[in-house]
Amino acid sequence: MARKKPPTTHGIVIVDKPTGITSHDVVAMLRLRFNERQVGHGGTLDPSATGVLVVAVGKATKLLRFVEKTRKAYLGEIVFGSETDTLDADGVVTATYDMGDVSLADAQALVAKHFTGEIVQIPPMVSAIKIDGKRLHELARQGIEVERPPRPCTIYSFQLLPTDEPNVFLAAVECTPGTYIRTLAADLGKMLGGGAHLRNLRRTAVGRFTIGEAAAPDDCELLPVEEAVRTLDRVDITDDLAAVVANGRVLPHFGGEGPWALFDPAGSLIAVYESYRGEAKPAVVVPQG
């Protein structure tokens, strides 16, 4: 059996994902562009959604989990007066409501009371999480609906702004990963005495990766591997300690919560360490060369 060719291209790219394609489609495009099989993304966007998708190439894929854990920021439009089977504009309308002119002040008051801070959500049936080994969206396509346990999330900020359309508000949300913006829209519509769905969702930030530095899959710049840990605490170490780190040695705690990105005197990322029982334990040792 032939051995897999080791990756030769390494780094991350900040993609502005276009609408109409999946996150996996973006990965496939970048595999062709960089002639590299080892490519992965950090945090799925629905096909209709646009915006920041962080993609890792080569050895940077080992660091994706630290990208996925960072907070996310979104912009989207909440359309009051109709519900869909997918909770967004891609779905079939399942109910309509005469909600009059929805008051921005009333909606903001409900957001402040019920949709800010630590909350729980029921994942939509069109989500990718698994129940009993099957993805919810696969069951939904078969017309099957199952009970979903609520999941906690944190909403750091949820702002509503008026638009030129009646009963349509622009929503700006900052939240933990795993938050369903479409569920926020649907739940807010119910609390206002009717229903709502989400449209034109755009992710504007993943941690410190912002839409301002994102570009189309064909144009995005390959950034150094070190950029993947820009949100982590940096620790500069000596050459002697770097040799120990390369062997995966547990180290004394660095202080703070971690994780910590360890850099050698040449400025190369050599490992990421996490807090473990009062010490610092290697989570990822980055291959050199």
Side-chain angles (χ1 to χ4, degrees):
M1 182 176 178
R3 298 178 63 180
K4 289 184 178 180
K5 175 187 173 183
T8 57
T9 303
H10 311 281
I12 64 166
V13 291
I14 318 303
V15 177
D16 184 353
K17 189 189 86 64
T19 188
I21 64 173
T22 68
S23 299
H24 184 71
D25 290 337
V26 173
V27 168
M29 295 167 68
L30 293 174
R31 281 175 175 159
L32 288 174
R33 178 181 163 189
F34 294 117
N35 191 27
E36 186 62 70
R37 289 295 305 166
Q38 192 169 319
V39 180
H41 67 79
T44 301
L45 277 174
D46 291 333
S48 61
T50 65
V52 178
L53 183 69
V54 181
V55 181
V57 182
K59 60 187 178 184
T61 56
K62 296 178 178 292
L63 303 166
L64 273 176
R65 64 187 180 98
F66 303 107
V67 174
E68 293 170 337
K69 290 179 181 179
T70 56
R71 71 167 65 187
K72 310 294 192 297
Y74 297 90
L75 288 176
E77 294 173 335
I78 302 179
V79 182
F80 295 94
S82 59
E83 295 176 330
T84 72
D85 57 357
T86 60
L87 310 187
D88 66 9
D90 288 342
V92 176
V93 174
T94 57
T96 58
Y97 304 87
D98 182 3
M99 299 178 68
D101 289 331
V102 175
S103 164
L104 179 60
D106 290 344
Q108 289 173 326
L110 288 173
V111 164
K113 184 175 181 180
H114 298 285
F115 300 104
T116 304
E118 296 181 359
I119 67 170
V120 293
Q121 291 186 316
I122 302 296
M125 278 300 302
V126 290
S127 62
I129 66 172
K130 290 184 177 181
I131 300 291
D132 295 331
K134 295 184 178 180
R135 295 196 182 276
L136 288 179
H137 63 77
E138 294 174 349
L139 295 174
R141 283 198 293 268
Q142 301 172 36
I144 300 172
E145 183 167 350
V146 297
E147 185 174 349
R148 290 95 68 197
R151 293 160 61 98
C153 62
T154 301
I155 309 299
Y156 302 109
S157 174
F158 187 170
Q159 297 178 308
L160 293 174
L161 299 169
T163 70
D164 293 334
E165 293 184 66
N167 283 6
V168 178
F169 296 152
L170 179 67
V173 180
E174 291 187 27
C175 55
T176 51
T179 302
Y180 296 100
I181 310 302
R182 69 178 74 194
T183 299
L184 290 178
D187 289 348
L188 180 58
K190 290 177 181 177
M191 282 197 171
L192 284 166
H197 67 271
L198 184 72
R199 75 181 185 192
N200 296 331
L201 182 64
R202 183 160 176 78
R203 187 156 66 193
T204 57
V206 174
R208 295 181 186 171
F209 303 100
T210 65
I211 196 66
E213 60 185 321
D218 290 338
D219 301 320
C220 51
E221 179 185 359
L222 182 66
L223 302 175
V225 171
E226 287 76 16
E227 288 294 316
V229 295
R230 64 166 68 164
T231 59
L232 305 186
D233 293 334
R234 176 173 176 140
V235 178
D236 293 293
I237 60 176
T238 64
D239 281 327
D240 289 341
L241 190 55
V244 172
V245 168
N247 291 322
R249 184 81 58 85
V250 174
L251 300 175
H253 202 277
F254 294 110
E257 297 182 0
W260 305 275
L262 275 58
F263 287 79
D264 67 14
S268 297
L269 175 70
I270 60 172
V272 175
Y273 272 57
E274 292 179 314
S275 181
Y276 180 74
R277 295 183 178 180
E279 296 181 303
K281 180 182 178 181
V284 175
V285 176
V286 180
Q288 301 301 300

